[in-house]
Amino acid sequence: MAMKSLSFLAILSLLALTLPLVISSDPSPLQDFCIGVNNPANGVFVNGKFCKDPKLATADDFFFAGLHNARAVTNAVGSNVTAVNVNNLPGLNTLGISLVRIDYGVQGQNPPHTHPRATEILVLQEGTLLVGFVSSNGDGNRLFTKTLKQGDVFVFPEGLIHFQFNVGRSPAVAFAALSSQNPGVITIANTVFGSNPPINPNVLARAFQLDPRVVMDLQNKF
């Protein structure tokens, strides 16, 4: 009986060690493709989407047009992110990859944010960007930063806070690939100061060492 209990505990320990490896990234597909559809009729639910009957797949399921077109930059941070993910390119379902185009106005930025499910690799097509990421608490919150010129590439590790800032005198354009069909995004300022409902200002005041009135003013901006 003792040996059986020991074996059972060993199996549980092994599962505890391996399970995070299994669920930490998009699952591997068990077929050529799984076109994501919103209609459950004759579909199988895989990775957040229902799969289209493979026999009904067409080239359009794997196609997205217009990413060469410049996007207007009109928001407060001075950038426009155009995402190509499973929500607008259904053939990406289960393939574990997606793409974004980022247009930056002069002095525009893609503000500090994280992707909870993806590593990002960015290539600069036009302009000059200051980019960087900050390591985790255990690594001392070190800042890794570079100024990118046309054709330069930079990698942002999964889950770490990162940013891009246009330091040039003209608009900039970058493209980035992400290691998830739906990487998600958490913009730090919006999340902390614009949550719904708002976080108690006293909590943020202590965390950021600010007067609660300053915190409330920041919350009103988001």
Side-chain angles (χ1 to χ4, degrees):
M1 180 64 72
M3 286 298 295
K4 288 184 177 180
S5 298
L6 191 58
S7 298
F8 180 72
L9 289 173
I11 292 171
L12 284 180
S13 299
L14 183 60
L15 286 174
L17 289 171
T18 58
L19 188 58
L21 299 177
V22 174
I23 65 175
S24 63
S25 60
D26 291 357
S28 298
L30 299 177
Q31 57 197 51
D32 287 346
F33 45 78
C34 173
I35 310 302
V37 294
N38 295 320
N39 184 358
N42 300 319
V44 178
F45 195 71
V46 178
N47 217 25
K49 295 285 184 181
F50 291 98
C51 291
K52 186 178 188 178
D53 184 342
K55 295 182 177 61
L56 301 178
T58 70
D60 286 339
D61 293 319
F62 304 93
F63 176 75
F64 181 95
L67 210 58
H68 64 290
N69 294 323
R71 268 55 177 181
V73 176
T74 59
N75 58 24
V77 297
S79 67
N80 189 335
V81 179
T82 303
V84 182
N85 56 37
V86 69
N87 295 317
N88 53 18
L89 184 56
L92 285 174
N93 195 40
T94 74
L95 299 186
I97 194 169
S98 58
L99 182 72
V100 297
R101 172 190 170 118
I102 314 170
D103 291 86
Y104 310 84
V106 176
Q107 296 293 295
Q109 65 173 282
N110 191 8
H113 63 283
T114 72
H115 300 293
R117 296 180 290 275
T119 291
E120 175 180 348
I121 182 167
L122 178 143
V123 58
L124 182 60
Q125 178 176 305
E126 298 176 16
T128 306
L129 290 181
L130 174 67
V131 305
F133 67 86
V134 179
S135 66
S136 61
N137 294 5
D139 189 61
N141 300 128
R142 291 189 293 157
L143 173 64
F144 296 80
T145 185
K146 276 283 188 181
T147 298
L148 304 186
K149 304 292 186 180
Q150 185 178 26
D152 289 344
V153 175
F154 199 79
V155 174
F156 306 104
E158 180 175 344
L160 296 185
I161 294 173
H162 59 283
F163 62 89
Q164 303 106 37
F165 179 60
N166 183 3
V167 293
R169 297 180 180 179
S170 61
V173 179
F175 290 88
L178 299 109
S179 61
S180 171
Q181 67 177 40
N182 190 17
V185 61
I186 300 171
T187 305
I188 306 306
N190 299 63
T191 302
V192 173
F193 297 109
S195 66
N196 184 21
I199 298 173
N200 186 312
N202 292 313
V203 173
L204 298 180
R206 176 62 66 90
F208 288 96
Q209 298 296 293
L210 296 172
D211 187 295
R213 291 170 295 183
V214 174
V215 171
M216 289 187 284
D217 182 58
L218 288 169
Q219 289 177 319
N220 288 332
K221 294 181 185 298
F222 291 91

